[in-house]
Amino acid sequence: MTKRTLPWGYQDVFEGQQPSWELHPDTLAVRAGLSRSGFGETGEALYLTSGFTYDNAEMAESAFMEETDHHLYSRFSNPTVAMFEQRLAAIEGAEACFATATGMSAMFSSVACLVKSGDRVVASASMFSSCYVVLTEILPSWGVTTVLVEGNDEAAWAAALQEPTKVVFIESPSNPLMEIVDIAMVSKLAHAEGIDATVIVDNVMASPVMQKPLALGADVVFYSATKHIDGQGRVLGGAILGTRDYIKNSVLPFTRHTGQSMSAFNAWVMLKSLETLTLRVERMNQTALKVAEFLSTHPKVESVSYPFLPGAKNYETSIKQMGGGGSTIGIKVVGGKAEAFAFANALTVIDISNNLGDSKSLITHPASTTHKRLGPEVQAKMGVTPNLLRLSVGLEHPSDLIADLKAALA
Ligand SMILES: *Cc1c(COP(=O)(O)O)cnc(C)c1O
């Protein structure tokens, strides 16, 4: 063991001699966070260990006092997980990262570590259903108030932020309708004098490749690493990124005791995935735009939600804050649930599955699956109608996906 690294901070992103220039995020995605065991392995080592040993009791005591750089227990930190955290922090341009078991543990911990009974949260109204349940049912049952803001209207956000607010929560683009909120605009309002809220962005749908919320003024970013970061449909995971102070003094004291940590095995899988993240996400975005263009002209399609489609709602904001439109498309077919089901059932290449960001293209009917829990009223408010399908575009060749969609629509 040549080096031991704690999970916060990424000062040691590049093993060995530090280059004299600033490395591109694509290089960091391959190189950052590498901590070799001493055998000189090229692939990152998998440390499947729950605990760690100490040479003597004094060493254990000083490690627990955080006087020395030593892993204590894999619920707190683990060398493989730390490599993943440091690599992702380097890609994101964040000071620090904490990796979690799932995207939802990242979402829940990122907010719950900051709020207490009596606090107020302001959130964008369109979001993934589990995020909605956390913000409108679970946290309110503990005395936290959540106020939802619909759309991207500056006046509406300013009005919601008149009262003292602890956390501002933005999911942009949203799942499944790819609704866009201007992250820079909301961050500015949230950081105005007398408000000083922590702005947390669910950046799952854009991925770190297509959107950098911290650079837009947000304070915290989180991921479901299950989606594009693994991107190959294998393991669950999540990550919270922000300042060293936030991760060390807010997130870790909460997650250490509530047990949100990522498994070393999943971190090892995802370390390799990070190396190809840009390649995969760029290709998925290119294909998704082609597929969205095809669908938008089809007579059996009522509407297509894809942020980079010219004329899309909030198109200007999308191209301002994102490098690509993402890999997910909201498709409303002409008709209702029966027509939506018939379309999904007729596909031969694209699978029916409720995951997204996978190399395999997947389609789901949100109203009866991922967003079923919300009930018809909230679904209608979010635009999750019975004729809506969510298509996650994968890495198949665009011509095969378009042919599959064309045949199924016919
Ligand atoms: C999937 C998803 C999550 C939750 O992630 P899990 O890894 O499934 O727990 C949160 N937000 C968005 C936008 C998602 O798509």
Side-chain angles (χ1 to χ4, degrees), residues 37 40 148 154 163 173 198 214 224 239 270 341 347 362 393:
S37 69
L148 299 178
E154 181 161 2
E163 284 176 51
T198 301
L214 301 180
S224 163
M270 298 222 199
F341 272 33
L347 293 163
L362 308 173
V393 173

Side-chain angles (χ1 to χ4, degrees), residues 6-314:
L6 287 172
W8 53 86
Y10 72 105
Q11 54 275 51
D12 291 319
V13 293
F14 198 84
E15 195 181 51
Q17 218 179 342
Q18 285 283 343
S20 58
W21 64 95
E22 204 175 313
L23 294 170
H24 190 280
D26 289 355
T27 305
L28 293 170
V30 180
R31 294 281 173 178
L34 181 61
S35 182
R36 290 195 168 106
S37 69
F39 288 113
E41 67 278 1
T42 49
E44 294 73 14
L46 168 55
Y47 294 95
L48 276 183
T49 180
S50 41
F52 303 87
T53 59
Y54 312 91
D55 297 342
N56 49 54
E58 288 77 11
M59 188 179 172
E61 184 182 34
S62 79
F64 269 78
M65 305 268 292
E66 292 181 15
E67 291 165 354
T68 52
D69 195 3
H70 196 294
H71 293 285
L72 308 177
Y73 187 53
S74 286
R75 169 151 48 83
F76 303 168
S77 68
N78 169 283
T80 308
V81 178
M83 282 193 261
F84 171 75
E85 290 165 334
Q86 294 188 7
R87 186 167 292 181
L88 186 58
I91 294 169
E92 191 71 42
E95 280 178 15
C97 174
F98 180 76
T100 56
T102 65
M104 283 320 301
S105 58
M107 183 272 160
F108 175 68
S109 302
S110 70
V111 180
C113 74
L114 291 175
V115 294
K116 59 181 188 324
S117 178
D119 283 341
R120 187 168 182 270
V121 175
V122 170
S124 53
S126 273
M127 64 180 119
F128 183 58
S129 74
S130 292
C131 300
Y132 188 87
V133 171
V134 168
L135 292 177
T136 65
E137 292 180 32
I138 295 172
L139 291 177
S141 75
W142 296 341
V144 174
T145 307
T146 300
V147 175
L148 299 178
V149 180
E150 270 171 56
N152 191 30
D153 180 39
E154 181 161 2
W157 280 94
L161 289 167
Q162 288 293 310
E163 284 176 51
T165 302
K166 193 81 193 176
V167 168
V168 171
F169 183 91
I170 305 171
E171 185 175 302
S172 182
S174 70
N175 178 355
L177 273 167
M178 304 298 276
E179 296 276 346
I180 302 295
V181 174
D182 189 327
I183 295 169
M185 177 269 284
V186 174
S187 299
K188 205 166 158 210
L189 292 172
H191 294 146
E193 241 192 86
I195 308 283
D196 207 25
T198 301
V199 178
I200 301 179
V201 175
D202 179 338
N203 202 33
V204 171
M205 304 303 277
S207 90
V209 179
M210 291 302 165
Q211 182 166 267
K212 292 275 198 283
L214 301 180
L216 296 167
D219 303 298
V220 174
V221 182
F222 76 84
Y223 291 102
S224 163
T226 317
K227 310 295 167 57
H228 304 87
I229 291 176
D230 171 41
Q232 288 146 93
R234 299 167 298 185
V235 292
L236 298 184
I240 309 169
L241 298 112
T243 61
R244 189 167 296 130
D245 174 55
Y246 167 74
I247 297 293
K248 192 171 178 193
N249 299 319
S250 297
V251 174
L252 286 176
F254 181 84
T255 52
R256 277 183 164 209
H257 304 293
T258 53
Q260 319 283 336
S261 45
M262 178 182 273
S263 85
F265 179 79
N266 289 6
W268 176 75
V269 170
M270 298 222 199
L271 265 163
K272 265 286 165 269
S273 301
L274 285 178
E275 296 182 355
T276 56
L277 180 65
T278 298
L279 296 176
R280 289 183 286 106
V281 169
E282 280 180 352
R283 173 60 75 88
M284 285 168 161
N285 277 240
Q286 286 162 10
T287 307
L289 181 57
K290 285 182 191 150
V291 170
E293 280 167 352
F294 159 73
L295 289 168
S296 67
T297 61
H298 199 286
K300 293 227 175 121
V301 175
E302 181 187 292
S303 67
V304 174
S305 303
Y306 188 71
F308 268 44
L309 215 47
K313 197 165 119 196
N314 294 312

